[in-house]
Amino acid sequence: LSTTDAIFYGAHHPYTVALLSSTPVLDPAFQRERIILEGGVPSPANPPPGCRFHPRCPQVMPICSQVEPALEDVGDGHLVACHLVNARP
């Protein structure tokens, strides 16, 4: 689990970032880049190998389609399962 602030202001998984980009913003002066995901949602009965989000991920890497990412602690109780966590400096 994670704190609300960690999710809203420090999302690590591309799916969470895309979901947050779709939420309405109350301040009309604040503009947020909207992330439009391409492709269809995979079948839960037959999920793709590796990361289940990789077919729609805008930051997909070759490892994503081959290896399921481990759940990593990125601090403050914020857990994320994404290969990008280990790829970031």
Side-chain angles (χ1 to χ4, degrees):
L1 297 178
S2 184
T3 67
T4 303
D5 285 345
I7 292 172
F8 279 92
Y9 303 108
H12 290 273
H13 197 284
Y15 183 69
T16 306
V17 174
L19 283 175
L20 291 172
S21 82
S22 70
T23 60
V25 178
L26 298 177
D27 183 355
F30 180 77
Q31 296 295 316
R32 180 186 353 229
E33 178 185 352
R34 179 81 190 267
I35 299 171
I36 308 296
L37 298 176
E38 302 290 328
V41 177
S43 165
N46 188 22
C51 176
R52 286 172 168 70
F53 183 59
H54 87 265
R56 302 183 72 202
C57 183
Q59 298 182 40
V60 67
M61 302 179 295
I63 192 172
C64 300
S65 64
Q66 301 163 9
V67 178
E68 185 173 348
L71 195 58
E72 301 281 341
D73 185 344
V74 293
D76 295 330
H78 190 157
L79 303 174
V80 63
C82 182
H83 294 294
L84 287 172
V85 171
N86 293 325
R88 291 186 176 134

